[in-house]
Amino acid sequence: MSQIYNEIDQEQIIQFFAGYHATRAISLGISIGLFEELNKHEGGIYCEQLASRLNLSPKPLEELCALSCKLGLIANDNGKLKISPKTSQIISEIGGHAAYCMATAQEFREYEKVLRTGQPMNVESRNDSYIHAISLALKRTYDFLAKNILPQAEGTYQKLCHGASCLEIGCGEGYCISNLAKIYPKSIFTGVDIEEKAVRKARELIKNEKMNARVSFTLELDTALEDSFVFIYTMSSLHEFKDPVKVLEKYKRYLRKDGTLIVADFIKPLSDGALSTPLEKVVHGLFFDEVMQGTPYLDEKQILRVIEDAGYCNITRINTTPLAYIAAYSCNRGETNGR
């Protein structure tokens, strides 16, 4: 079998290193509110004023801003720091992935052990910052669910607009539900997750956003809620479940007979080749992390089989263009397998 090599030069390797520094700068900038504050000052702001507004030490901030200027994230106009609205929007939409990369970097030292022993790393001891970083990184996919996937689910979109009961399986810190609750203000949302820390954070988030009246979170659903949800979904969580078939089976009884389940998740990269887009390289990097952690992405056939084995029917593939690294299916409750 022939092998096609994609030759790289020293400059490309250096670009990889530069990307690491850019990731750190974006992650820090988001954490301290740098980009958000700069976006408020169209005419620019001096570093000393910026430090005062952000309650930061001026000298270290000056160096971070200098690095950010070199990386093209912000600009220095005669001493005043600026950021374009477009850059600010892009960072807001996908910059959370930088926080995830930095959180994963803290675990990277464990990867060598995984490679030598074949045993995935222990993820039970992850701290709150890692869980929060995942929520930030998934912001774009949460928006994609609300604006691209849901409108394709026949009848569900209209029901949400008019008011419906919704359940998220694997809600994490509640950011996906929070996003949907803002877009569909007449609907009621419930989130369930096995991670107590995540549920606690989700409750704090909804309390701060003053949506307690129609959004709630729990570690275990009350059986009184069986046959009550018009819409159930799981977003970017299926591969994390130890037994995804059992999880989907468990919550099937909570879905109304006329209700819809949507399963959306990242999918395993198809190609090993180096000739790919930057986004494909990022997704393959995410897949590598999940393999090291013992929770690799499924491919499309595996996701479909999970839904079928859990007993759902009328399974329909949803168009996920342009996020081709996500697969999404809508289906209904059924007593037998089928499509």
Side-chain angles (χ1 to χ4, degrees):
M1 182 174 66
S2 63
Q3 173 69 52
I4 299 176
Y5 292 99
N6 181 37
E7 294 184 0
I8 62 174
D9 56 26
Q10 180 174 295
E11 183 63 26
Q12 286 176 292
I13 294 294
I14 292 175
Q15 285 292 343
F16 295 156
F17 299 152
Y20 170 69
H21 292 291
T23 299
R24 293 199 301 174
I26 293 172
S27 180
L28 274 172
I30 291 174
S31 179
I32 63 177
L34 173 63
F35 306 115
E36 183 179 2
E37 184 63 33
L38 284 173
N39 196 41
K40 298 176 183 177
H41 306 277
E42 186 175 346
I45 182 173
Y46 291 108
C47 188
E48 293 81 2
Q49 296 172 315
L50 187 61
S52 177
R53 288 178 177 271
L54 297 175
N55 194 29
L56 299 170
S57 176
K59 187 59 180 176
L61 179 61
E62 180 181 338
E63 296 305 326
L64 175 60
C65 290
L67 172 61
S68 298
C69 286
K70 180 64 69 175
L71 294 166
L73 299 170
I74 64 176
N76 188 323
D77 184 5
N78 294 320
K80 284 191 172 183
L81 301 170
K82 298 180 178 181
I83 185 172
S84 72
K86 182 178 180 180
T87 300
S88 180
Q89 180 182 353
I90 291 172
I91 290 176
S92 175
E93 290 175 352
I94 63 175
H97 183 67
Y100 168 81
C101 287
M102 297 315 299
T104 306
Q106 297 176 26
E107 300 183 332
F108 192 74
R109 67 188 66 181
E110 298 292 327
Y111 288 3
E112 181 180 345
K113 184 187 298 184
V114 176
L115 289 167
R116 293 187 181 281
T117 66
Q119 298 298 315
M121 59 178 294
N122 179 16
V123 297
E124 300 297 330
S125 59
R126 282 176 176 163
N127 56 33
D128 293 351
S129 63
Y130 184 94
I131 298 174
H132 182 61
I134 292 177
S135 298
L136 293 177
L138 291 175
K139 182 176 180 180
R140 187 182 187 189
T141 59
Y142 296 157
D143 288 340
F144 192 74
L145 169 68
K147 299 174 183 177
N148 297 75
I149 294 177
L150 269 176
Q152 297 183 62
E154 187 175 351
T156 302
Y157 174 74
Q158 290 78 6
K159 290 176 182 177
L160 286 170
C161 290
H162 290 95
S165 54
C166 312
L167 170 69
E168 180 180 7
I169 307 170
C171 64
E173 292 189 335
Y175 285 90
C176 190
I177 280 187
S178 171
N179 191 44
L180 289 179
K182 292 169 185 173
I183 296 173
Y184 304 104
K186 294 183 179 180
S187 290
I188 297 173
F189 296 85
T190 301
V192 61
D193 200 292
I194 63 172
E195 294 288 344
E196 187 174 355
K197 289 181 180 179
V199 169
R200 187 167 60 248
K201 286 281 187 180
R203 289 170 177 166
E204 291 175 4
L205 172 68
I206 295 305
K207 181 179 179 180
N208 293 336
E209 295 183 342
K210 297 180 172 55
M211 292 193 291
N212 301 62
R214 58 191 185 88
V215 182
S216 62
F217 299 95
T218 183
L219 294 168
E220 186 68 41
L221 276 184
D222 190 333
T223 54
L225 294 174
E226 290 183 10
D227 198 33
S228 65
F229 292 100
V230 171
F231 173 49
I232 296 179
Y233 69 97
T234 177
M235 186 70 193
S236 307
S237 297
L238 190 72
H239 69 280
E240 297 278 353
F241 302 149
K242 292 182 178 179
D243 191 332
V245 173
K246 284 189 177 181
V247 171
L248 294 189
E249 277 182 336
K250 175 181 178 179
Y251 291 102
K252 186 171 68 171
R253 65 179 184 269
Y254 292 94
L255 184 65
R256 284 172 41 170
K257 291 183 179 180
D258 61 343
T260 299
L261 167 73
I262 287 183
V263 176
D265 203 356
F266 292 96
I267 53 177
K268 179 179 179 179
L270 295 177
S271 173
D272 301 338
L275 296 175
S276 58
T277 67
L279 182 56
E280 288 174 325
K281 294 173 184 176
V282 169
V283 173
H284 215 133
L286 295 173
F287 174 66
F288 172 72
D289 289 335
E290 295 292 343
V291 170
M292 295 295 102
Q293 297 159 15
T295 54
Y297 301 148
L298 308 176
D299 60 33
E300 290 201 52
K301 290 182 179 179
Q302 289 172 318
I303 293 176
L304 181 59
R305 178 56 62 86
V306 166
I307 299 171
E308 289 176 334
D309 289 350
Y312 290 85
C313 62
N314 303 320
I315 305 171
T316 304
R317 177 68 157 88
I318 294 176
N319 181 8
T320 54
T321 305
L323 300 190
Y325 54 85
I326 288 179
Y329 293 91
S330 67
C331 54
N332 306 119
R333 197 177 90 179
E335 300 308 320
T336 59
N337 295 346
R339 295 180 63 180

